[in-house]
Amino acid sequence: MQILVTGGTGYIGSHTVVELQQEGFEVVIVDNLSNSSGDVPYNIEQITGTLPVLEVFDLCDLGKTEALFSNYPDIEAVIHFAAFKSVGESVNEPLKYYHNNILSSVNLLKCMKDKEVNKMVFSSSCTVYGQPEQLPVTEQAPLRKAESPYGNTKKIMEDVIFDTTRASAIQAILLRYFNPIGAHESALIGESPTGIPDNLVPYITQTATGKREFLRVFGNDYNTPDGTPVRDYIHVVDLAKAHVVALKRLLESKTLSKCEVFNLGTGTGYSVLDVIHSFEKVSGVKLNYRIVDRRSGDIEKVWADTSYANRELGWKAEKGLDEMMLSAWEWEKKLKN
Ligand code: UFG
């Protein structure tokens, strides 16, 4: 049995490939390497002892996607990560995001339906909740209009997948991630943003190595304990493990409906300053940061109600903020050398 992992050389994808291989699954990766390196499979091999297959092409190419499924008839399930993910870029180039994220997913689902590959785990985001009225946010919270075209592609894809499960034999689990950070303990895989990072943690670690001059903290006048926005940061390895649990749930036909949804977070919110202080503690580096104006589109606070995922998946995030920040720092130092 083989598992197809789209976007498997990317940040969350690569960590998930490691966990899958360590659980005995054979993995085929498809990735166009638009935001990742073709070396990642070799780093995965160093961790697990097994080199995953990598097919380099774009899922927007329907012919190549069909050929992939014909060439790998043992694929039983798909974990779908491949997507553009920069919120800021998506605002400036919406068509790039709608074209890539949606067409690739529609092609994938078409091929799955044709080849009767009927199980999909999808990489969604807590962005679909916007600023929730009630915290912690449960899976039943109303979905809101996305702040960015990127967020909207996640929302649209959830709808596309849901509708497809209703009209075909495909079953899916949608995983709504909160804020994944950190890196594998080996420091062989991690997040390597191209250009200037959008996200807080790579910006912190790049500032600490001197690659960036200072971190801008976007606003300290929010209605939160220290005035900076609060998020539910989750270690990428905890997140990766949840994908294996979700996959097994599909393969063992334990799902309660054709399209299930789970929040993946720790259930604890931390502010931007909490994250900075944790980083300073575990790294011993004093971070150069300045409070600046709010960033447009940022929400004030969000953290997950994880009780449904904990109970139903039998999965719980285990790693705390310090461990997340230390692993992110070890990875950044390795990248620099
Ligand atoms: N922040 C800073 N300075 C920076 C970068 C971020 O202060 O240089 C702050 C932000 O204002 C925010 C927090 O750090 O308060 C986290 O910001 P990130 O950009 O790391 O994460 P977001 O919560 O904005 O975005 C994440 C994912 C998106 C997803 C979104 C859903 O990166 O993919 O959550 O809310 F859409």
Side-chain angles (χ1 to χ4, degrees):
M1 185 203 294
Q2 292 178 324
I3 307 301
L4 178 65
V5 180
T6 76
T9 60
Y11 174 42
I12 304 171
S14 58
H15 287 83
T16 301
V17 172
V18 166
E19 297 302 318
L20 286 168
Q21 289 186 330
Q22 287 178 338
E23 289 286 317
F25 290 102
E26 200 178 313
V27 176
V28 177
I29 296 173
V30 55
D31 204 304
N32 66 3
L33 303 181
S34 64
N35 192 24
S36 59
S37 159
D39 292 340
V40 168
Y42 300 104
N43 297 341
I44 291 173
E45 184 185 24
Q46 280 191 57
I47 299 171
T48 64
T50 307
L51 183 66
V53 174
L54 169 63
E55 295 287 345
V56 180
F57 69 89
D58 197 321
L59 292 163
C60 290
D61 185 328
L62 180 60
K64 286 186 179 161
T65 309
E66 285 168 342
L68 175 89
F69 280 90
S70 298
N71 294 339
Y72 293 93
D74 294 334
I75 291 174
E76 286 275 319
V78 177
I79 306 184
H80 182 33
F81 294 102
F84 292 151
K85 62 172 187 178
S86 164
V87 174
E89 184 186 52
S90 80
V91 173
N92 296 324
E93 296 187 67
L95 293 178
K96 177 175 171 180
Y97 275 68
Y98 287 115
H99 176 86
N100 181 72
N101 292 4
I102 294 175
L103 183 57
S104 58
S105 306
V106 168
N107 283 348
L108 192 61
L109 285 163
K110 261 189 202 159
C111 294
M112 288 174 65
K113 186 164 170 275
D114 288 350
K115 298 289 180 184
E116 295 176 14
V117 175
N118 287 331
K119 321 263 177 198
M120 174 185 261
V121 178
F122 178 64
S123 164
S124 190
S125 166
C126 71
T127 193
V128 299
Y129 298 120
Q131 175 61 68
E133 265 166 32
Q134 284 185 353
L135 290 169
V137 61
T138 70
E139 288 84 352
Q140 279 72 48
L143 306 190
R144 295 187 192 281
K145 177 151 177 29
E147 288 284 353
S148 68
Y150 157 76
N152 206 24
T153 65
K154 290 292 175 189
K155 166 81 175 59
I156 292 169
M157 281 319 306
E158 285 202 358
D159 290 343
V160 170
I161 294 169
F162 179 81
D163 291 346
T164 305
T165 61
R166 284 212 306 192
S168 71
I170 293 175
Q171 295 181 307
I173 296 183
L174 314 178
L175 299 177
R176 292 181 181 153
Y177 314 153
F178 284 66
N179 285 54
I181 60 169
H184 193 265
E185 60 179 3
S186 63
L188 285 163
I189 52 173
E191 188 173 13
S192 3
T194 40
I196 302 172
D198 279 334
N199 295 118
L200 178 63
V201 172
Y203 211 105
I204 288 177
T205 53
Q206 289 194 8
T207 304
T209 62
K211 192 168 175 186
R212 309 279 156 212
E213 194 190 344
F214 62 92
L215 171 77
R216 289 173 298 160
V217 173
F218 296 126
N220 66 349
D221 57 352
Y222 286 93
N223 181 24
T224 60
D226 64 23
T228 62
V230 170
R231 297 285 184 275
D232 185 338
Y233 296 93
I234 175 169
H235 197 297
V236 65
V237 172
D238 278 332
L239 194 69
K241 287 179 196 289
H243 289 75
V244 180
V245 174
L247 176 74
K248 286 183 178 168
R249 183 176 171 90
L250 284 168
L251 293 172
E252 292 163 10
S253 301
K254 289 187 176 155
T255 49
L256 304 178
S257 63
K258 290 198 74 185
C259 187
E260 291 189 315
V261 179
F262 294 100
N263 282 344
L264 296 184
T266 65
T268 304
Y270 289 106
S271 73
V272 175
L273 293 180
D274 289 334
V275 175
I276 292 173
H277 295 147
S278 166
F279 174 77
E280 291 185 325
K281 185 172 83 182
V282 299
S283 68
V285 177
K286 186 97 191 74
L287 195 74
N288 189 10
Y289 70 89
R290 293 179 202 165
I291 309 288
V292 301
D293 286 348
R294 290 181 178 199
R295 179 170 74 175
S296 85
D298 269 348
I299 59 165
E300 184 166 86
K301 51 192 165 197
V302 63
W303 60 94
D305 185 326
T306 60
S307 51
Y308 184 62
N310 296 162
R311 190 175 70 243
E312 215 26 74
L313 294 177
W315 163 90
K316 197 173 191 324
E318 287 169 357
K319 296 173 193 293
L321 184 60
D322 289 349
E323 203 174 340
M324 299 183 212
M325 296 311 291
L326 184 60
S327 68
W329 180 228
E330 295 300 334
W331 164 247
E332 187 69 57
K333 285 192 290 186
K334 188 84 165 273
L335 273 184
K336 195 170 177 248
N337 295 330

